[in-house]
Each structure stands twice: as structure tokens, then as C-alpha cells.
Amino acid sequence: MPNLRRSLPLRCLFALVLALCSIAVHAQDTPDANTPAVVLTPAQTLVQLRAQLDNIKAAVDARKPDAPLNDLRGNALTVQQDAEQVVSTLSPQSASLQARVDVLGPAPVKGGPPESAQLAAQRRQLGKAKNDIDGQIKQANSLGTEAAQLATHVAELRRDQFQTALASRTATPFSRAFWSDPVKAFPDDMGRIRQLGSNALDAIRQAWQPPNRLPFVICLLLAAALLAVGRRLIEKMLGRLTIDRLPAGHLRRSALAFAVTLAYTLAIGLAAQFMHMAVNWNDLLDDDLETLAHRFVRLVTFAAFMAGLGRAMLSCGRPSWRLPGLSDATAEKLRAFPVLLALGALAIGVVETVSSTVGASLATTVLTRAVLAVLIGVLIGSVLLRLGQSRRVTLAAGETPTQRPVWIGLVIGAAFICVAMTFLGVASGYIAFAFFIARQMLWFGVVLTALYLMMHLVDDIFDTVFAPKGHTGLRMQNSFGVSSNALEQTGTVLSGAARAMLVILAVAIVLTPFGAGPQELIERVSNTLSSASLGKLNIRATDIFSALLVFVVGLFIVRVIKRWLSEQLLPKTALDPGMQNSMVTLLGYVGGVLVFGVALADIGVDLQSIAWMASALSVGIGFGLQAIVQNFISGLILLAERPVKVGDWVSIGGVEGDIRRINVRATEIQMSDRSTMIVPNSQFITSNVRNVTLANAQGRVSIKLAMPLDTDASKAREILLDVLRGHPGTLAIPAPAVTLENLDAGSMTFACVGYVNSPRDVGNVKSDVLFEMLQRLRAAKLPMTSPQSMVVRTLPAAAEGSDDRD
């Protein structure tokens, strides 16, 4: 109850913030009822797209050396997407018109009877409409192709511009020109910045006017609430949800780190968005200010993500929940750097955006980039020095530092080299190169840290879900009959696949320029996952993962069907257990082959090509894999003809035992001593096999008893028959029999025969019958014949000589 009372005000405040957020967003997104919605026809859309494409071409032709080619490329890609959308909209209409024309039938041939005037007019009308739509589709396809080519051209220009900028050299900071040129350009640059600030202040004054004052105040209050208590509130709620709802283990630790990062990003990013909404409630900002505001919101959100990610990795408030192997002293020394690095990244983005918006001079741009490069280099260098200092202190104290992986050592070494290159680049005048290295260090560090967090999170999720002793693992074992080893192996495989996917995404994101927009980021990721050709086969990462998903799901479905057959359907039939096992095994083979074929088809592999390849390799398979193929075919014959089946008692080549499993290559036979003999399937086809239990064979109990010649044979026979008939395991039909088999020197031999239901019962029944016979014969004073023995004695030589003299 005390915890609930303490958290109740926080929950109420959080609910109030969410309610105000929803009201503000709904009020902004609700269109004016008096404003009619403008819907463009496909023809008007094509005209508008053509004008946009021409403007992009003109901007590319008239570009300046520092023109933002990235925005032009994004605009070209937007035109391409809009053109493809027009094609997807018009294609069904064209198909519908063609279907209506086909309903009218073929047009009359020349010289044939004419069709009615109404039908001819309808044919002309439909043909004209279809021709117009086909023309618009061709125009849209042409626009899409031109836009794609233009985007490729802009990308090449940006690449050339980037290489030129990296190789360009300016005055060094130790020269007078480096400082004098910005001083000369300072008045003009400040004038442009003041003009931009004046426009922003005018927009704020307009937002303060009575029609916009209330939403302005509400949005600012929401932003302030998010910055003041929203972050802590979201973090606290997510942390409590993580601790209370997730099972104990490593998943709590990685999930809490993810929750801290998410809390920072959401709180600060939403606050920046509400500030933007406060100023631009009724589209008060012009195009330049609107672009600048959107860019500012993205930069603030990215900086918040950096700060939250760094704070989650250090976890100074919860040392036992820290993911990296850092000591408490090291984490405390690095506590301020996530925020400082986030502010540095924010400064880079804001300065670059403002410089591009106001058209700052080249000298001012070079100066600001040099300062920012040195600032980022100092921050990253300080982090590296503090890490090294903490490690040296640990070694000096006689303690063993935490063993770190090799890749972390390589990353730290590369970071030292990049910091040195940044300082050398600024000192030697290669400002653009140094600025590029500084930005890429930030970008690579953020991506690598996020990848580290996501890999831990993915591993912990799969380990928890597929843990054999966990709640989910136990349910899967009970529901699907999966063994604990198979469950752990499945979790490991899925975790490895997810980690591989994360690495691919991280590589694609690292190759994306720092500060790129979402559209370019998505495009870069999609290009990384796009197809690579292997001959005529296009290999795409998405198709590979799709095929893996199809394969896993298909095997799961086959397993479910096999379990349903073996546990529910087949036991209710008249089939014997061996036949049921054979059917389930054959279904598994056929289903596995079909699933594998479907997975290959999903990748794009032509199954007919595989058939031709298999035909070409059949000769090699016949010679090189003859034994394996022979055993495989023999296994199929055993499952189909069933000369032996699971559970049969067989004898082959001196091996006798019960068949426990018929596999693809060999059959497992369990011997009487509980050992298992692996016999190739081909031996069951080519060798003589004795099947004791074939066709439900009965067992035969055979006993031979030797008795003296003076024994009452009739009485003995009566006792033996009574014992055989009285045992519950012997059958009445065929009836037991006792015959006098032989008369030997001093004894007679009785042959006792009885039948049982199964050969497996012979041993137990024979033992019981023998015990009972011995007891009854002794009670009747009918003795058994003892085996005769001959004793050979050798006399001493002296005794033999004395006898001779006598």
C-alpha cells in the first residue's frame, strides 16, 4: 500500500500529460470543417510531379559547391515513389476497362456486318478511356525512371563533391588567413543569422496572438512537463514494469537499459516536437523555418537517444545492472560524457543546418567545422584517457581488470588513431577531412553501442523464452512435445539469426552519412539488403530470411501433423503400432522434402534446374555415394513393404534383438543385454532375416525331462500335463502335449510342449513351468535322473609294480 500511494501521484501526472498530448495532437490534426479537401486527379498529379522533377533538375544544374545535394536526392526519390503510386492506382483501372472491352467481343472485321451504333459508341468510349489511362501509366513510368536516374546522378555528384571536399586544404589555424577571413565575413554572416532570428521571433509573436495563444501555452507546458518530470516518470514506470513483469535473469538487466534509452528519447524528443507544434500551430513558419524546425526536432531526438544510451550503458545508479564490464569508479568518471557527446552531436547538426539555411560564408564554415572537430576530438580523447587511467589504477592496486573482448581493444585502438587524425587534420589545414572523421566517430560509436545493447537484449529474450526450465519453455515442451535440448538449440539458432540481422542493419546504418534523414536511412538499409546476383539467381538477404522462416514454420507444421497422427488419429485405427510408426516416418520424410523445396522456391531457385542438376550428378552419386543411396532406398522399402517393423524380434547375421527404430540409413536393434546394434538397411533386403514375431507369431515352450526307467510314466505324464494346462500363460489351443521322446540307458526322456501368445513370453512361462514341475514331481516322489559321471583315477607307479610281483 505505501508503494501504491507513493506512485499514485506520478501515475496521475503521467495520465494528465498523455491526455494533454492527445488533445494537442488531435487539435492540430483535425482539419477545418470549412476547408474543402483538395483531391488531385492522376493527370494533375503527373503535371505536378513533372514540375517538381524539372525544378530538381534545375537545382542540380545550378548547384553551388556547398549545395545540399542530399535534399535534392531525397526529393527525386519522393517523385519516384509518387510516380509508382500513380502507376499502382491506374493499373487496376486499365485492367477493368480492358475487361469491359473484352465483354463486348472482338471488333467487326473489315467488310463484315457492322455492329449496332450503341455498341460501337460504347466500344469507342471504352477504348478512348483506356488509351488515356495507358498514356498516363506510360507517363508515370517515364517520370519514375527519370527520377531514379536523377537520384543516381545526384548521388554520384555528392560522392564527387565529398571526395573533393576531403582532399581540399585550407589555411591552417596557425596562419593569419585562417582567422582574418572569418573576421571579414563576420558582419555578413551575422546579418543573415539576425534575419533568421528575426523571422523566428516574428513567428513566436504570431503564435502568442489570441487565436494561437492557448495551444502555444499548452504545448510549452507539455514540453516543460516532459523535460522536468516526464523523463523520470517514463523511466520509473518502464523500470518498474521491467522488474515486476519480466522473469528474474539477465533479461531484466538488458530490458532496463533499453527502457532507460527509450525514456530519454521519448521524453526529450516529444518535448522538442511540442515546442515545434507551439510555434507552428497554424502553419505560421515559412518554408525555411519549417525545414529548420524539423531538422532541429530530429537533432534533439538523436541527441536524447545518445544521452539515454550512454546513461543506460554506464548505469551509475544501478551498478549491478550494468551491461559492460566497467568498474564503479570508471563509470563514475565517465558519467558526464554521454550528455557532453550528445551536446556535441547536437552542436554539429545545428551549426551545419543554420549555415546551410543562411548561406554562411566558406571562411565561417571552415572555422566552425574546425572548432567542432577539435571539440569532438577532445571529448572522445578524454573518454579514452579516462578508460586507460582506470585500467592502470586497477593494475597498480594488484587487481585483475575485467577481461575485455578483442574487438573492444581494436575499437579503442582505432578511436585513438581517429582522434590523432582529427587533430592532425585540423593542424595541417585539412578541415573537411578532420570534420568528417569527428562526425564518423560519433556516428560509429552510437551505432556500435546500440548494436551492443540490442545484441544483449536479443540474446536475453531468446534465452528466457526458450529456457527449458522457464515458464514459456515448459509450456512449449508440454504443448509441442519438444525436448529440452531441442528447445535450447532452437533458441540458440534464432538468437544467432537475429544477431546476424542486427549486424547487417548496423553495417548499413554505419555506411549512411551522419545526420541523414529517415528516408535515406531506410533506403540505405534496403540497398544493403538488396539483391546480389549469383549467376542468374538474385540473392537478397530478405529472401534468405524469408526462406529460413518458411523452412522453420514448415518443419513445425510437419511436426505438429506427425504428432497429431501418432497420438490422436492412428491409435484409433486398426493399424498395428509398427505400421503407424512407418506411416509417421514416411510422412516426415515427404514433408521435409516438400518444405525444403518450398524454401528453395521462396529464394527464387528454379526447381526444374535442381532436377536437371540432380540428373547430371546421378552418375557421380551412383559411384561415390552408392552405399548411402542403397541404404536410403532400402529404408524406404522397409517402410513400404514392412518385412520388418518397429517392435519386431529379428535375427540377422548373428545379431538378434528388437527393432527400435528404422532410420534413413540404418536400423537400430536393441540386444538382450540392452545394447544397441546399428545395422545398415541394405542388409535387411539382401540378407536372410529371421523375424520371430512376424504376423503375430505364437511362442513355443519346449521342455525335456529325463527320469529313471522305473518311474511311473503315466503318472509323470499326468503331472506334467496338469502343470502345463494350469499355467495362465499357456494356450488351450493348440493344446499342451507331453510325449515320451526317448528311452536311453537307465532313463526315459519326456518332451513337454506348450504355446503362449508371444515369443517374448516363452522365457518367463518356461521358468514358471519348470519350478512348478520340480515341486510337483518331488511331492509325488518321482525322482529326476541325475547326470552320470565317470571318475578316472591314476594309481602310483610303485603300487603298480608291487602288484605285478605278487
Side-chain angles (χ1 to χ4, degrees):
M1 285 300 291
N3 294 332
L4 180 61
R5 290 172 181 172
R6 285 195 299 267
S7 62
L8 184 59
L10 295 176
R11 295 184 179 181
C12 294
L13 179 59
F14 184 68
L16 179 60
V17 170
L18 289 180
L20 292 175
C21 293
S22 61
I23 293 173
V25 174
H26 178 73
Q28 187 186 28
D29 294 339
T30 302
D32 189 359
N34 297 325
T35 303
V38 179
V39 179
L40 298 178
T41 62
Q44 293 173 341
T45 302
L46 292 175
V47 173
Q48 186 178 10
L49 293 178
R50 170 55 66 184
Q52 293 177 5
L53 191 60
D54 293 339
N55 292 334
I56 297 172
K57 289 181 179 179
V60 172
D61 295 337
R63 71 185 186 280
K64 298 179 181 180
D66 56 348
L69 294 177
N70 186 29
D71 296 339
L72 296 178
R73 183 170 179 270
N75 295 336
L77 292 176
T78 302
V79 172
Q80 180 187 4
Q81 294 175 358
D82 294 341
E84 292 175 352
Q85 182 64 33
V86 172
V87 172
S88 62
T89 303
L90 294 178
S91 296
Q93 299 180 16
S94 177
S96 176
L97 290 174
Q98 182 62 44
R100 295 174 62 184
V101 172
D102 295 339
V103 170
L104 298 179
V109 296
K110 186 176 181 180
E115 59 185 358
S116 64
Q118 182 180 2
L119 188 60
Q122 186 177 3
R123 187 186 299 278
R124 287 193 302 270
Q125 181 181 2
L126 293 176
K128 182 178 181 304
K130 185 177 183 303
N131 291 334
D132 293 342
I133 292 179
D134 290 343
Q136 292 175 0
I137 292 176
K138 292 180 181 178
Q139 185 179 358
N141 287 327
S142 177
L143 280 173
T145 303
E146 290 185 30
Q149 294 174 353
L150 182 59
T152 304
H153 177 62
V154 172
E156 294 175 354
L157 291 177
R158 188 176 64 176
R159 190 181 304 110
D160 296 340
Q161 187 184 75
F162 173 74
Q163 294 175 355
T164 303
L166 287 182
S168 63
R169 185 180 182 186
T170 60
T172 66
F174 305 105
S175 63
R176 178 175 297 180
F178 181 84
W179 303 100
S180 60
D181 291 343
V183 171
K184 294 178 183 178
F186 181 75
D188 294 337
D189 292 335
M190 284 304 300
R192 299 188 186 96
I193 293 177
R194 290 193 188 97
Q195 182 63 37
L196 180 64
S198 177
N199 295 337
L201 289 176
D202 291 340
I204 295 175
R205 293 190 189 98
Q206 293 180 11
W208 183 248
Q209 297 303 317
N212 306 315
R213 183 175 299 175
L214 180 59
F216 179 79
V217 173
I218 292 177
C219 290
L220 289 183
L221 288 176
L222 289 173
L226 286 171
L227 292 176
V229 297
R231 179 188 61 79
R232 296 178 182 176
L233 183 61
I234 296 175
E235 180 179 346
K236 188 173 182 180
M237 292 187 63
L238 291 177
R240 182 171 299 171
L241 181 65
T242 300
I243 297 174
D244 295 342
R245 299 296 181 182
L246 295 181
H250 292 281
L251 181 58
R252 286 186 178 180
R253 185 179 61 174
S254 56
L256 182 62
F258 182 79
V260 171
T261 306
L262 185 63
Y264 262 86
T265 307
L266 286 179
I268 301 178
L270 286 176
Q273 181 63 32
F274 279 121
M275 294 174 65
H276 172 232
M277 292 169 57
V279 179
N280 193 36
W281 187 260
N282 287 322
D283 296 332
L284 301 178
L285 300 178
D286 56 17
D287 294 339
D288 292 338
L289 288 178
E290 178 65 12
T291 303
L292 185 63
H294 275 295
R295 179 70 174 169
F296 176 77
V297 171
R298 288 211 314 250
L299 290 172
V300 170
T301 304
F302 178 73
F305 174 75
M306 285 186 61
L309 185 61
R311 185 173 182 272
M313 290 294 103
L314 296 179
S315 187
C316 296
R318 299 182 181 91
S320 60
W321 294 63
R322 186 178 301 128
L323 285 178
L326 298 175
S327 62
D328 296 344
T330 304
E332 193 63 33
K333 289 181 180 180
L334 301 177
R335 185 167 192 164
F337 282 94
V339 177
L340 294 177
L341 290 173
L343 292 176
L346 179 62
I348 289 177
V350 170
V351 170
E352 287 292 298
T353 303
V354 172
S355 300
S356 176
T357 302
V358 303
S361 61
L362 179 61
T364 302
T365 302
V366 171
L367 176 61
T368 54
R369 289 184 173 182
V371 173
L372 292 172
V374 172
L375 175 63
I376 299 302
V378 168
L379 290 176
I380 297 178
S382 300
V383 172
L384 297 176
L385 291 177
R386 288 173 185 254
L387 287 174
Q389 182 182 4
S390 299
R391 194 172 183 85
R392 288 192 296 271
V393 170
T394 303
L395 291 174
E399 300 177 359
T400 302
T402 304
Q403 187 69 25
R404 59 191 183 190
V406 177
W407 67 269
I408 293 183
L410 295 177
V411 169
I412 293 176
F416 271 112
I417 295 175
C418 290
V419 170
M421 293 174 63
T422 301
F423 291 149
L424 290 176
V426 173
S428 59
Y430 290 97
I431 307 298
F433 176 74
F435 184 68
F436 168 76
I437 294 295
R439 288 196 309 177
Q440 290 305 115
M441 280 194 295
L442 283 177
W443 186 240
F444 181 79
V446 172
V447 174
L448 186 62
T449 308
L451 176 64
Y452 180 81
L453 172 60
M454 293 305 298
M455 280 194 167
H456 273 277
L457 182 61
V458 166
D459 277 344
D460 295 340
I461 288 175
F462 283 110
D463 288 343
T464 302
V465 172
F466 292 94
K469 297 182 180 179
H471 178 69
T472 309
L474 291 175
R475 291 192 61 180
M476 284 192 287
Q477 292 181 61
N478 296 330
S479 301
F480 306 113
V482 183
S483 64
S484 59
N485 292 334
L487 200 64
E488 290 181 337
Q489 293 170 6
T490 303
T492 303
V493 171
L494 293 179
S495 175
R499 288 164 65 94
M501 187 66 181
L502 288 175
V503 171
I504 294 174
L505 292 176
V507 171
I509 295 173
V510 165
L511 297 178
T512 305
F514 175 79
Q519 182 180 3
E520 184 173 0
L521 188 64
I522 294 175
E523 181 194 358
R524 182 60 63 94
V525 173
S526 62
N527 289 337
T528 304
L529 300 178
S530 60
S531 61
S533 59
L534 180 63
K536 295 183 179 180
L537 177 63
N538 292 327
I539 301 176
R540 292 189 294 268
T542 53
D543 290 344
I544 293 176
F545 285 104
S546 175
L548 289 176
L549 181 61
V550 169
F551 187 72
V552 171
V553 173
L555 291 182
F556 174 76
I557 294 175
V558 171
R559 184 183 181 88
V560 171
I561 295 175
K562 288 174 60 179
R563 185 178 179 185
W564 175 75
L565 286 174
S566 60
E567 295 183 2
Q568 297 186 23
L569 179 61
L570 294 180
K572 298 177 182 179
T573 63
L575 300 176
D576 59 90
M579 184 61 181
Q580 296 177 19
N581 183 270
S582 300
M583 293 180 63
V584 173
T585 305
L586 280 175
L587 176 64
Y589 293 158
V590 175
V593 172
L594 290 178
V595 169
F596 184 71
V598 172
L600 290 180
D602 191 67
I603 297 178
V605 177
D606 188 5
L607 299 181
Q608 185 176 2
S609 302
I610 296 179
W612 282 106
M613 185 181 300
S615 300
L617 294 176
S618 60
V619 177
I621 292 176
F623 286 101
L625 304 177
Q626 182 178 4
I628 296 177
V629 175
Q630 182 182 8
N631 289 323
F632 175 75
I633 300 300
S634 300
L636 295 180
I637 294 174
L638 292 179
L639 293 173
E641 291 188 0
R642 301 174 67 243
V644 294
K645 59 183 181 295
V646 175
D648 282 356
W649 182 1
V650 298
S651 176
I652 176 174
V655 177
E656 185 172 353
D658 297 329
I659 294 179
R660 291 306 180 195
R661 184 177 301 173
I662 301 177
N663 295 318
V664 175
R665 188 192 65 84
T667 297
E668 299 177 8
I669 298 178
Q670 186 175 0
M671 311 285 286
S672 58
D673 59 355
R674 298 298 178 182
S675 63
T676 301
M677 180 69 69
I678 308 299
V679 180
N681 290 331
S682 58
Q683 292 192 17
F684 286 92
I685 304 299
T686 59
S687 302
N688 296 326
V689 180
R690 176 173 174 262
N691 193 336
V692 180
T693 56
L694 183 64
N696 297 323
Q698 296 175 344
R700 183 172 182 267
V701 179
S702 178
I703 300 173
K704 293 184 179 181
L705 295 177
M707 302 183 73
L709 286 175
D710 57 353
T711 303
D712 188 350
S714 300
K715 185 177 181 180
R717 180 174 180 274
E718 182 180 355
I719 292 174
L720 296 178
L721 275 176
D722 186 53
V723 171
L724 287 174
R725 293 169 180 169
H727 194 279
T730 57
L731 301 177
I733 299 175
V738 175
T739 59
L740 186 60
E741 186 180 61
N742 190 17
L743 292 175
D744 202 355
S747 67
M748 65 179 69
T749 303
F750 290 94
C752 308
V753 177
Y755 294 90
V756 293
N757 285 320
S758 173
R760 303 182 189 282
D761 300 333
V762 170
N764 294 330
V765 173
K766 184 176 182 179
S767 176
D768 295 340
V769 168
L770 283 174
F771 276 112
E772 184 68 19
M773 286 181 176
L774 290 176
Q775 184 179 1
R776 297 279 296 275
L777 289 174
R778 285 176 181 173
K781 299 184 182 301
L782 296 177
M784 303 289 298
T785 300
S786 301
Q788 298 180 357
S789 59
M790 179 181 296
V791 178
V792 179
R793 174 179 290 182
T794 304
L795 297 176
E800 182 178 356
S802 62
D803 293 340
D804 292 340
R805 285 193 300 268
D806 291 341

